[in-house]
Amino acid sequence: MNILVVNPFGIGDVLFTTPVLAALAKQFPGSRIDYLCNSGSLAVLKHNPCISEFLCYSRGDLKRVRRESRMKYFRMLAEAWGRVRRGRYDLMLDLSLTDHYSLFALLAGVKKRYGFSCRGRGRFLTRKLELEWFSEKHVIDYYADLLCFLGIKGMERRLQLYVSKADQVWAERVVGEAGLKKRIAIAPFSGATWGANAKLKQWPRESYAKLIAALIGKGFKVYVLGSKSDKEKISEVLGDLRSPDLFDFSGKTDLGQLSALLSKMDLVVGNDGGPMHMAAALGLKCVGLYGP
């Protein structure tokens, strides 16, 4: 059986699908499971043993290419079409909450298309669950409901994030021995997929500054994490704070290295966003600060 799972969203969203992947692999041993995601989320999935191939053709990826060149856009669209056709998928599990991917799959010859009809957008699905939004329970529980169409019940809900050996070696080298001191990771800025509204999900900078100073004062090693775009903001948070127990890793890791670095932490503190969900998938102790 050839299965295509579609989720074009951010890091947390694709990590929420990892229990689905494990359940599919268990229910249909020997099947090929491919995954259509956006290129920005690929790194947290690429070492997952359940996935055979990746198709990075999300609407976001296509729009980005279209802004660069219409010719490249049409070439990429044709490439996506060809790959879905050659995949000969028996089933598409569409977790996109839109009708774009199910229409594309229909035209590419995928006969079974299961997913959510979110606010009436499931017209090209062959089996669907009506959904207003993910509001009554955790998104993983909605996914479990969808898998009932395939006879899968009692899906294990644990997230899964696999770290490569190379990234593990890198993290061990940069972290070194902490001795008796506990390592705490702080991720002050996340939720970038909210765009201009991301700040609504972020605890105030001055609060993070006080927390970091207090933790160092208590004898913890503090690792501050963030993307390149966060580097200037994190510098503002840290201000004049200097300590041999403070490590600023903003803009210094890719997602694979970030996963490995997180895996070495005793505790992770952050907003509702990628690093927090990655930490949860690694089975770490977390303090998640949710807002607004």
Side-chain angles (χ1 to χ4, degrees):
M1 187 174 186
N2 297 331
I3 303 170
L4 178 63
V5 177
V6 176
N7 188 301
F9 302 122
I11 292 170
D13 295 291
V14 298
L15 285 173
F16 293 153
T17 69
T18 55
V20 174
L21 299 172
L24 290 171
K26 182 178 180 180
Q27 182 77 1
F28 306 108
S31 294
R32 191 179 94 234
I33 302 173
D34 294 348
Y35 201 114
L36 192 156
C37 62
N38 75 64
S39 56
S41 300
L42 174 61
V44 295
L45 290 171
K46 69 178 181 180
H47 298 294
N48 190 307
C50 298
I51 303 173
S52 297
E53 291 186 23
F54 293 95
L55 290 76
C56 294
Y57 301 112
S58 71
R59 289 183 68 205
D61 289 314
L62 288 165
K63 285 181 178 180
R64 187 184 67 254
V65 170
R66 186 172 184 173
R67 287 194 294 267
E68 296 174 3
S69 164
R70 291 180 67 88
M71 183 63 70
K72 287 183 180 179
Y73 166 77
F74 287 116
R75 191 179 299 133
M76 187 177 183
L77 199 59
E79 182 182 285
W81 169 270
R83 289 195 62 184
V84 175
R85 290 285 291 180
R86 290 192 301 273
R88 298 181 180 275
Y89 296 111
D90 303 291
L91 167 71
M92 179 184 78
L93 203 63
D94 185 0
L95 308 178
S96 70
L97 306 184
T98 73
D99 52 14
H100 301 89
Y101 297 94
S102 53
L103 173 60
F104 190 87
L106 168 64
L107 297 175
V110 182
K111 293 184 178 179
K112 294 181 180 179
R113 302 173 300 281
Y114 296 177
F116 299 104
S117 181
C118 181
R119 300 173 182 175
R121 300 171 189 157
R123 51 186 169 166
F124 303 116
L125 297 170
T126 56
R127 296 197 72 178
K128 56 197 172 187
L129 286 177
E130 296 294 333
L131 178 70
E132 183 63 24
W133 197 249
F134 296 135
S135 56
E136 300 299 323
K137 53 188 176 182
H138 197 284
V139 60
I140 294 175
D141 294 314
Y142 286 98
Y143 291 165
D145 293 342
L146 188 62
L147 289 184
C148 290
F149 285 153
L150 298 169
I152 300 174
K153 296 182 180 180
M155 180 186 81
E156 185 178 345
R157 286 154 170 76
R158 183 175 62 86
L159 305 186
Q160 298 174 351
L161 175 58
Y162 297 87
V163 181
S164 74
K165 180 63 177 177
D167 288 331
Q168 285 281 15
V169 170
W170 173 85
E172 289 168 5
R173 177 175 57 81
V174 300
V175 169
E177 291 297 328
L180 296 176
K181 292 186 177 181
K182 296 288 187 178
R183 305 184 190 115
I184 298 181
I186 306 287
F189 301 99
S190 53
T193 52
W194 272 41
N197 290 324
K199 61 184 179 182
L200 297 177
K201 302 181 76 174
Q202 297 168 355
W203 203 38
R205 299 182 188 187
E206 57 273 20
S207 299
Y208 272 114
K210 291 177 182 178
L211 174 62
I212 293 168
L215 289 171
I216 292 172
K218 292 288 186 179
F220 294 100
K221 282 182 176 286
V222 177
Y223 294 76
V224 183
L225 310 177
S227 64
K228 288 181 180 179
S229 62
D230 297 331
K231 193 166 183 61
E232 184 176 339
K233 293 180 290 186
I234 286 176
S235 294
E236 294 174 4
V237 169
L238 298 180
D240 297 328
L241 186 59
R242 299 289 182 272
S243 168
D245 291 328
L246 175 62
F247 306 90
D248 180 4
F249 272 86
S250 58
K252 297 179 180 179
T253 64
D254 57 29
L255 280 177
Q257 292 170 331
L258 177 59
S259 300
L261 190 58
L262 284 169
S263 73
K264 305 300 179 187
M265 298 295 124
D266 296 293
L267 176 70
V268 179
V269 181
N271 305 310
D272 172 20
M276 180 57 56
H277 298 308
M278 292 165 71
L282 290 165
L284 302 174
K285 293 180 180 179
C286 305
V287 175
L289 302 166
Y290 281 67

